[in-house]
Amino acid sequence: MTREDKATVISDLTAQLADNTNIYLADISGLDATATSNLRRACFKANVKLAVVKNTLLSKAMEASDKDFGELPSVLKGNTSLMFSETGNVPAKLIKDFRKKSDKPLLKGAFIAEAIYIGDEQLDALVSLKSKEEVIGDIIGLLQSPAKNVISGLKSGGGKLAGILKTLSEKE
């Protein structure tokens, strides 16, 4: 690989790091061809981009990036694969599900919306992260709950003015 090729790869990696808020570093070494193909297929179905990278080039791309990757460059040893996803917990769920059949991939670290996770023991924490859509759904559910209680109370009062007033006074 020439110096120009390396500069191009670093530039491309830097752009990918800038464009993604959910970045996973995993070790997929030791997977045979079938398992690797199955992992790539699972990533494709889950809308996760998977790429094997050279540690030195990724380290330089992290340095060139505007993001603060903190301790994450310290895990760049051995085989490293990058996983990008729009949803923070999807790669973690994919890794956990894939490990039901294999001992790999191992989570080396993750950068999720500026939070840094180091080590495979963080996998369960990452799986339990909620996506923005899930959090919004929870908030909407909480906001709708009091309104549903008032409406059901009004309906149980028979819809008469006395029943409505009674229900409203009980809610205070």
Side-chain angles (χ1 to χ4, degrees), residues 19-39:
D19 292 345
N20 291 282
T21 56
N22 303 307
I23 303 162
Y24 281 69
L25 303 176
D27 177 1
I28 64 170
S29 65
L31 292 179
D32 62 18
T34 303
T36 302
S37 177
N38 290 340
L39 177 63

PDB file of all heavy atoms in Angstrom, residues 19-39:
ATOM      1  N   ASP A  19     -19.420  10.926  10.034  1.00  0.00           N
ATOM      2  CA  ASP A  19     -20.811  10.738   9.606  1.00  0.00           C
ATOM      3  C   ASP A  19     -21.628   9.838  10.526  1.00  0.00           C
ATOM      4  O   ASP A  19     -22.841   9.754  10.387  1.00  0.00           O
ATOM      5  CB  ASP A  19     -20.853  10.138   8.194  1.00  0.00           C
ATOM      6  CG  ASP A  19     -20.351  11.116   7.141  1.00  0.00           C
ATOM      7  OD1 ASP A  19     -20.250  12.319   7.436  1.00  0.00           O
ATOM      8  OD2 ASP A  19     -20.044  10.650   6.018  1.00  0.00           O
ATOM      9  N   ASN A  20     -20.983   9.138  11.459  1.00  0.00           N
ATOM     10  CA  ASN A  20     -21.691   8.172  12.291  1.00  0.00           C
ATOM     11  C   ASN A  20     -21.555   8.515  13.773  1.00  0.00           C
ATOM     12  O   ASN A  20     -20.469   8.843  14.236  1.00  0.00           O
ATOM     13  CB  ASN A  20     -21.141   6.756  12.046  1.00  0.00           C
ATOM     14  CG  ASN A  20     -21.502   6.248  10.673  1.00  0.00           C
ATOM     15  OD1 ASN A  20     -22.615   5.818  10.441  1.00  0.00           O
ATOM     16  ND2 ASN A  20     -20.552   6.316   9.738  1.00  0.00           N
ATOM     17  N   THR A  21     -22.667   8.406  14.507  1.00  0.00           N
ATOM     18  CA  THR A  21     -22.642   8.654  15.945  1.00  0.00           C
ATOM     19  C   THR A  21     -22.565   7.360  16.746  1.00  0.00           C
ATOM     20  O   THR A  21     -22.341   7.386  17.945  1.00  0.00           O
ATOM     21  CB  THR A  21     -23.881   9.445  16.395  1.00  0.00           C
ATOM     22  OG1 THR A  21     -25.053   8.744  15.995  1.00  0.00           O
ATOM     23  CG2 THR A  21     -23.884  10.838  15.800  1.00  0.00           C
ATOM     24  N   ASN A  22     -22.790   6.223  16.086  1.00  0.00           N
ATOM     25  CA  ASN A  22     -22.745   4.924  16.745  1.00  0.00           C
ATOM     26  C   ASN A  22     -21.687   4.063  16.065  1.00  0.00           C
ATOM     27  O   ASN A  22     -21.896   3.574  14.959  1.00  0.00           O
ATOM     28  CB  ASN A  22     -24.114   4.246  16.675  1.00  0.00           C
ATOM     29  CG  ASN A  22     -25.192   5.118  17.283  1.00  0.00           C
ATOM     30  OD1 ASN A  22     -25.059   5.563  18.407  1.00  0.00           O
ATOM     31  ND2 ASN A  22     -26.241   5.372  16.541  1.00  0.00           N
ATOM     32  N   ILE A  23     -20.559   3.889  16.750  1.00  0.00           N
ATOM     33  CA  ILE A  23     -19.412   3.199  16.172  1.00  0.00           C
ATOM     34  C   ILE A  23     -18.982   2.085  17.127  1.00  0.00           C
ATOM     35  O   ILE A  23     -18.735   2.347  18.307  1.00  0.00           O
ATOM     36  CB  ILE A  23     -18.241   4.186  15.949  1.00  0.00           C
ATOM     37  CG1 ILE A  23     -18.697   5.346  15.064  1.00  0.00           C
ATOM     38  CG2 ILE A  23     -17.036   3.470  15.372  1.00  0.00           C
ATOM     39  CD1 ILE A  23     -17.795   6.566  15.120  1.00  0.00           C
ATOM     40  N   TYR A  24     -18.926   0.879  16.613  1.00  0.00           N
ATOM     41  CA  TYR A  24     -18.494  -0.273  17.403  1.00  0.00           C
ATOM     42  C   TYR A  24     -17.170  -0.797  16.859  1.00  0.00           C
ATOM     43  O   TYR A  24     -16.973  -0.825  15.643  1.00  0.00           O
ATOM     44  CB  TYR A  24     -19.517  -1.408  17.312  1.00  0.00           C
ATOM     45  CG  TYR A  24     -20.726  -1.238  18.195  1.00  0.00           C
ATOM     46  CD1 TYR A  24     -21.671  -0.262  17.946  1.00  0.00           C
ATOM     47  CD2 TYR A  24     -20.927  -2.076  19.279  1.00  0.00           C
ATOM     48  CE1 TYR A  24     -22.777  -0.112  18.756  1.00  0.00           C
ATOM     49  CE2 TYR A  24     -22.033  -1.939  20.093  1.00  0.00           C
ATOM     50  CZ  TYR A  24     -22.956  -0.957  19.832  1.00  0.00           C
ATOM     51  OH  TYR A  24     -24.048  -0.815  20.645  1.00  0.00           O
ATOM     52  N   LEU A  25     -16.292  -1.237  17.757  1.00  0.00           N
ATOM     53  CA  LEU A  25     -15.061  -1.907  17.384  1.00  0.00           C
ATOM     54  C   LEU A  25     -15.179  -3.335  17.890  1.00  0.00           C
ATOM     55  O   LEU A  25     -15.432  -3.555  19.075  1.00  0.00           O
ATOM     56  CB  LEU A  25     -13.849  -1.227  18.017  1.00  0.00           C
ATOM     57  CG  LEU A  25     -13.664   0.259  17.706  1.00  0.00           C
ATOM     58  CD1 LEU A  25     -12.479   0.819  18.477  1.00  0.00           C
ATOM     59  CD2 LEU A  25     -13.483   0.476  16.228  1.00  0.00           C
ATOM     60  N   ALA A  26     -15.017  -4.289  16.990  1.00  0.00           N
ATOM     61  CA  ALA A  26     -15.189  -5.695  17.358  1.00  0.00           C
ATOM     62  C   ALA A  26     -14.038  -6.526  16.824  1.00  0.00           C
ATOM     63  O   ALA A  26     -13.353  -6.134  15.878  1.00  0.00           O
ATOM     64  CB  ALA A  26     -16.510  -6.215  16.807  1.00  0.00           C
ATOM     65  N   ASP A  27     -13.856  -7.686  17.433  1.00  0.00           N
ATOM     66  CA  ASP A  27     -12.854  -8.649  16.991  1.00  0.00           C
ATOM     67  C   ASP A  27     -13.602  -9.843  16.408  1.00  0.00           C
ATOM     68  O   ASP A  27     -14.300 -10.555  17.127  1.00  0.00           O
ATOM     69  CB  ASP A  27     -11.993  -9.081  18.181  1.00  0.00           C
ATOM     70  CG  ASP A  27     -10.968 -10.149  17.813  1.00  0.00           C
ATOM     71  OD1 ASP A  27     -10.905 -10.556  16.634  1.00  0.00           O
ATOM     72  OD2 ASP A  27     -10.234 -10.584  18.719  1.00  0.00           O
ATOM     73  N   ILE A  28     -13.470 -10.031  15.087  1.00  0.00           N
ATOM     74  CA  ILE A  28     -14.143 -11.160  14.435  1.00  0.00           C
ATOM     75  C   ILE A  28     -13.132 -12.202  13.966  1.00  0.00           C
ATOM     76  O   ILE A  28     -13.479 -13.103  13.204  1.00  0.00           O
ATOM     77  CB  ILE A  28     -15.037 -10.708  13.257  1.00  0.00           C
ATOM     78  CG1 ILE A  28     -14.228 -10.074  12.132  1.00  0.00           C
ATOM     79  CG2 ILE A  28     -16.120  -9.759  13.735  1.00  0.00           C
ATOM     80  CD1 ILE A  28     -15.027  -9.848  10.863  1.00  0.00           C
ATOM     81  N   SER A  29     -11.892 -12.102  14.450  1.00  0.00           N
ATOM     82  CA  SER A  29     -10.874 -13.061  14.035  1.00  0.00           C
ATOM     83  C   SER A  29     -11.265 -14.456  14.503  1.00  0.00           C
ATOM     84  O   SER A  29     -11.918 -14.630  15.524  1.00  0.00           O
ATOM     85  CB  SER A  29      -9.515 -12.693  14.609  1.00  0.00           C
ATOM     86  OG  SER A  29      -9.538 -12.791  16.018  1.00  0.00           O
ATOM     87  N   GLY A  30     -10.877 -15.434  13.751  1.00  0.00           N
ATOM     88  CA  GLY A  30     -11.180 -16.811  14.116  1.00  0.00           C
ATOM     89  C   GLY A  30     -12.488 -17.337  13.560  1.00  0.00           C
ATOM     90  O   GLY A  30     -12.770 -18.527  13.668  1.00  0.00           O
ATOM     91  N   LEU A  31     -13.307 -16.473  12.980  1.00  0.00           N
ATOM     92  CA  LEU A  31     -14.538 -16.946  12.355  1.00  0.00           C
ATOM     93  C   LEU A  31     -14.190 -17.589  11.023  1.00  0.00           C
ATOM     94  O   LEU A  31     -13.401 -17.038  10.248  1.00  0.00           O
ATOM     95  CB  LEU A  31     -15.517 -15.788  12.108  1.00  0.00           C
ATOM     96  CG  LEU A  31     -16.142 -15.123  13.333  1.00  0.00           C
ATOM     97  CD1 LEU A  31     -17.060 -13.982  12.899  1.00  0.00           C
ATOM     98  CD2 LEU A  31     -16.915 -16.118  14.172  1.00  0.00           C
ATOM     99  N   ASP A  32     -14.778 -18.741  10.750  1.00  0.00           N
ATOM    100  CA  ASP A  32     -14.519 -19.371   9.457  1.00  0.00           C
ATOM    101  C   ASP A  32     -15.321 -18.646   8.371  1.00  0.00           C
ATOM    102  O   ASP A  32     -16.089 -17.722   8.657  1.00  0.00           O
ATOM    103  CB  ASP A  32     -14.828 -20.876   9.502  1.00  0.00           C
ATOM    104  CG  ASP A  32     -16.281 -21.183   9.804  1.00  0.00           C
ATOM    105  OD1 ASP A  32     -17.147 -20.294   9.659  1.00  0.00           O
ATOM    106  OD2 ASP A  32     -16.563 -22.331  10.185  1.00  0.00           O
ATOM    107  N   ALA A  33     -15.147 -19.064   7.136  1.00  0.00           N
ATOM    108  CA  ALA A  33     -15.781 -18.378   6.000  1.00  0.00           C
ATOM    109  C   ALA A  33     -17.299 -18.369   6.125  1.00  0.00           C
ATOM    110  O   ALA A  33     -17.954 -17.359   5.852  1.00  0.00           O
ATOM    111  CB  ALA A  33     -15.358 -19.038   4.687  1.00  0.00           C
ATOM    112  N   THR A  34     -17.878 -19.479   6.565  1.00  0.00           N
ATOM    113  CA  THR A  34     -19.337 -19.562   6.699  1.00  0.00           C
ATOM    114  C   THR A  34     -19.834 -18.609   7.779  1.00  0.00           C
ATOM    115  O   THR A  34     -20.800 -17.871   7.575  1.00  0.00           O
ATOM    116  CB  THR A  34     -19.764 -21.009   7.039  1.00  0.00           C
ATOM    117  OG1 THR A  34     -19.271 -21.876   6.021  1.00  0.00           O
ATOM    118  CG2 THR A  34     -21.262 -21.135   7.136  1.00  0.00           C
ATOM    119  N   ALA A  35     -19.165 -18.605   8.929  1.00  0.00           N
ATOM    120  CA  ALA A  35     -19.570 -17.728  10.029  1.00  0.00           C
ATOM    121  C   ALA A  35     -19.398 -16.262   9.645  1.00  0.00           C
ATOM    122  O   ALA A  35     -20.258 -15.427   9.960  1.00  0.00           O
ATOM    123  CB  ALA A  35     -18.767 -18.051  11.285  1.00  0.00           C
ATOM    124  N   THR A  36     -18.313 -15.947   8.957  1.00  0.00           N
ATOM    125  CA  THR A  36     -18.088 -14.568   8.504  1.00  0.00           C
ATOM    126  C   THR A  36     -19.180 -14.145   7.532  1.00  0.00           C
ATOM    127  O   THR A  36     -19.715 -13.032   7.628  1.00  0.00           O
ATOM    128  CB  THR A  36     -16.699 -14.432   7.846  1.00  0.00           C
ATOM    129  OG1 THR A  36     -15.700 -14.829   8.788  1.00  0.00           O
ATOM    130  CG2 THR A  36     -16.435 -13.005   7.410  1.00  0.00           C
ATOM    131  N   SER A  37     -19.532 -15.024   6.613  1.00  0.00           N
ATOM    132  CA  SER A  37     -20.604 -14.733   5.661  1.00  0.00           C
ATOM    133  C   SER A  37     -21.935 -14.535   6.395  1.00  0.00           C
ATOM    134  O   SER A  37     -22.694 -13.613   6.073  1.00  0.00           O
ATOM    135  CB  SER A  37     -20.716 -15.881   4.655  1.00  0.00           C
ATOM    136  OG  SER A  37     -21.777 -15.659   3.766  1.00  0.00           O
ATOM    137  N   ASN A  38     -22.200 -15.375   7.389  1.00  0.00           N
ATOM    138  CA  ASN A  38     -23.435 -15.237   8.166  1.00  0.00           C
ATOM    139  C   ASN A  38     -23.466 -13.924   8.941  1.00  0.00           C
ATOM    140  O   ASN A  38     -24.512 -13.275   9.036  1.00  0.00           O
ATOM    141  CB  ASN A  38     -23.598 -16.417   9.134  1.00  0.00           C
ATOM    142  CG  ASN A  38     -23.900 -17.712   8.413  1.00  0.00           C
ATOM    143  OD1 ASN A  38     -24.353 -17.716   7.263  1.00  0.00           O
ATOM    144  ND2 ASN A  38     -23.651 -18.822   9.079  1.00  0.00           N
ATOM    145  N   LEU A  39     -22.310 -13.522   9.492  1.00  0.00           N
ATOM    146  CA  LEU A  39     -22.225 -12.254  10.212  1.00  0.00           C
ATOM    147  C   LEU A  39     -22.473 -11.089   9.260  1.00  0.00           C
ATOM    148  O   LEU A  39     -23.231 -10.173   9.579  1.00  0.00           O
ATOM    149  CB  LEU A  39     -20.872 -12.110  10.900  1.00  0.00           C
ATOM    150  CG  LEU A  39     -20.631 -10.789  11.634  1.00  0.00           C
ATOM    151  CD1 LEU A  39     -21.628 -10.616  12.775  1.00  0.00           C
ATOM    152  CD2 LEU A  39     -19.201 -10.711  12.157  1.00  0.00           C
TER     153      LEU A  39
END
